[in-house]
């Protein structure tokens, strides 16, 4: 398997396995390591149909993640009935292998549209407040957590180890996102708004919060979780590229950020790929690591162009593994599938 290497600086870390803790969005997670190991490992995954076979939990467990992140479409609920939505989440919780994962590691996450309650929905969805509570129940967020009262599911977690730390910023690309522009292009569902048209992806409050989070200089690495792709724009589905001014705003925010070693992960597309772009003002290439889906992909679908793609498209069932090496100041990213096979990989050297 080909490993692609990118560039830049140096830092410090070796990480450790963290014991399981109750999910929370408040403050820093600092735990004594129970077992020293070379890297801090995060597994990221998305697009999990609760009514399909779920064959990837065992290989995910084999990677012994310190954190597991849901990237959205955690279930396919597509409903305004919260009783039905809870029952869909309960099917995942009842899976014996997923139970083992929740017992072994910390689980956090955000949502996309199908677990939001309606396909492609945004700010207009009338059941978003109720759906938020059901998601937080699934993630085992305490009832007294501030996220229970906040509009939207954006939050951060910082994971401290004996040798370094990783900050995870989870975005909400649903609660505040304005309407999409339906496309007249054959095979496309949506197309980009012209600059000056359209609206926002994150909304003013979340944008201000994100900028503040990216002023944090304490983290050795900063991982931004977006349910939809940020860099890939040459397809007719949901993406940041449907809102060109929001893309420009994000690039400016990243270029001005004080946070170190930023990278992104995304889901939604029912395929896996690495996208890499040199952002003006950012001293290292930005990676958008897409991994999707856990239970279903569409191998027969035509390949879409992506000028930022590194390596090949993966259309097998897949999940993402990120290994943060603080001694070498690099992140090793792997798309893995059934039998824990490495399907594609990339190394980002900072």
């Amino acid at each position: 398997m080909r490993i692609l290497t990118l560039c830049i600086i140096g830092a410090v870390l070796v990480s450790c396995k963290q014991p399981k803790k109750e999910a929370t969005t408040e403050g820093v997670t600092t735990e004594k390591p129970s077992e020293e190991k070379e890297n801090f490992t995060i597994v990221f995954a998305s697009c999990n149909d609760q009514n399909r076979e779920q064959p990837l939990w065992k290989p995910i467990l084999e990677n012994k993640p310190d954190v597991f992140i849901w990237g959205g479409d955690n279930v396919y609920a597509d409903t305004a009935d919260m009783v039905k939505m809870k029952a869909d989440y309960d099917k995942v919780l009842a899976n014996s292998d997923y139970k083992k994962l929740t017992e072994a590691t910390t689980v956090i996450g955000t949502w996309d549209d199908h677990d939001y309650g309606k396909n492609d929905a945004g700010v207009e969805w009338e059941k978003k407040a109720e759906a938020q509570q059901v998601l937080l129940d699934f993630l085992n967020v305490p009832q007294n957590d501030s996220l229970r009262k906040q509009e939207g599911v954006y939050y951060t977690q910082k994971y401290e180890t004996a040798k370094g730390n990783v900050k995870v910023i989870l975005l909400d690309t649903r609660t505040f996102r304005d309407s999409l522009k339906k496309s007249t292009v054959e095979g496309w569902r949506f197309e980009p708004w012209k600059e000056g048209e359209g609206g926002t992806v994150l909304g003013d409050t979340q944008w201000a919060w994100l900028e503040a989070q990216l002023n944090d200089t304490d983290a050795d690495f900063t991982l931004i979780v977006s349910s939809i792709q940020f860099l890939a724009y040459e397809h007719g589905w949901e993406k940041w590229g449907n809102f060109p001014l929001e893309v420009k705003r994000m690039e400016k925010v990243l270029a001005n950020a004080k946070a170190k070693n930023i990278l992104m992960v995304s889901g939604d597309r029912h395929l896996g790929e690495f996208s890499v772009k040199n952002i003006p003002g950012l001293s290292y290439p930005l990676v958008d690591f897409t991994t999707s889906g856990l239970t279903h992909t569409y191998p027969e679908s035509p390949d879409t162009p992506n000028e930022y793609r590194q390596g090949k498209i993966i259309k097998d069932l897949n999940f993402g593994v990120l290994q943060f090496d603080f001694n070498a100041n690099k992140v090793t990213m792997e798309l893995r599938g059934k039998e824990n096979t490495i399907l594609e990989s990339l190394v980002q050297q900072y």
Side-chain angles (χ1 to χ4, degrees), residues 18 40-44 65-69 105-108 159:
Q18 292 182 323
F40 185 84
T41 303
I42 290 178
V43 169
F44 172 82
D66 297 283
V67 179
F68 175 81
I69 302 176
T105 193
T106 299
V107 176
I108 61 174
Y159 297 96

Side-chain angles (χ1 to χ4, degrees), residues 74-321:
N74 312 321
V75 293
Y76 281 69
D78 296 293
T79 182
D81 181 350
M82 296 301 112
V83 174
K84 191 264 185 188
M85 183 178 285
K86 180 182 182 303
D88 290 334
Y89 280 119
D90 286 345
K91 289 181 181 178
V92 181
L93 293 172
N95 183 288
S96 60
D97 291 323
Y98 179 69
K99 277 185 178 180
K100 291 176 184 176
L101 179 67
T102 64
E103 291 165 357
T105 193
T106 299
V107 176
I108 61 174
T110 187
W111 59 15
D112 200 35
D113 53 345
H114 296 289
D115 42 358
Y116 188 54
K118 186 176 181 181
N119 190 32
D120 299 329
V123 66
E124 77 285 355
W125 179 230
E126 63 269 19
K127 291 292 183 177
K128 58 187 176 182
E130 294 92 331
Q132 177 171 328
Q133 297 305 313
V134 182
L135 170 66
L136 298 181
D137 290 342
F138 172 68
L139 294 174
N140 198 29
V141 174
Q143 291 296 321
N144 62 352
D145 193 283
S146 61
L147 191 52
R148 292 283 184 174
K149 297 179 180 180
Q150 174 186 290
E151 182 182 13
V153 297
Y154 58 93
Y155 62 100
T156 66
Q157 274 287 17
K158 186 182 289 182
Y159 297 96
E160 299 274 4
T161 74
K163 299 297 177 76
N165 57 70
V166 178
K167 182 172 183 175
V168 180
I169 300 176
L170 299 105
L171 301 180
D172 182 340
T173 65
R174 292 291 155 192
T175 300
F176 310 99
R177 197 219 67 212
D178 284 321
S179 60
L180 298 160
K181 182 179 182 180
K182 292 186 177 180
S183 181
T184 58
V185 178
E186 184 177 355
W188 282 43
R189 184 177 294 173
F190 306 110
E191 62 185 67
W193 291 102
K194 294 179 180 178
E195 290 195 15
E197 297 180 349
T200 185
V201 174
L202 299 184
D204 291 341
T205 300
Q206 188 176 183
W207 268 119
W209 167 86
L210 176 60
E211 291 186 38
Q213 293 299 323
L214 290 173
N215 279 329
D216 179 6
T217 60
D218 293 335
D220 295 293
F221 296 95
T222 302
L223 179 66
I224 299 176
V225 180
S226 170
S227 68
I228 56 174
Q229 288 186 306
F230 178 67
L231 289 180
Y233 66 93
E234 297 164 272
H235 60 81
W237 308 98
E238 289 201 79
K239 56 186 182 286
W240 276 80
N242 289 329
F243 298 85
L245 287 180
E246 292 286 88
V247 172
K248 286 187 175 181
R249 182 173 184 176
M250 178 65 85
E251 291 185 351
K252 183 177 180 181
V253 166
L254 294 174
N256 292 332
K258 296 178 182 177
K260 300 189 291 285
N261 302 345
I262 302 169
L263 67 156
M264 301 181 77
V265 290
S266 57
D268 178 59
R269 290 293 315 287
H270 299 276
L271 57 82
E273 64 180 350
F274 296 104
S275 303
V276 183
K277 181 181 180 181
N278 291 307
I279 306 294
L282 195 63
S283 61
Y284 49 84
L286 178 69
V287 176
D288 181 0
F289 177 8
T290 301
T291 175
S292 164
L294 278 170
T295 58
H296 56 303
T297 58
Y298 301 100
E300 71 286 354
S301 62
D303 291 353
T304 54
N306 176 4
E307 72 166 296
Y308 302 121
R309 183 180 298 128
Q310 298 284 333
K312 62 180 183 291
I313 297 176
I314 300 301
K315 294 185 180 178
D316 299 325
L317 298 183
N318 63 86
F319 61 93
V321 179

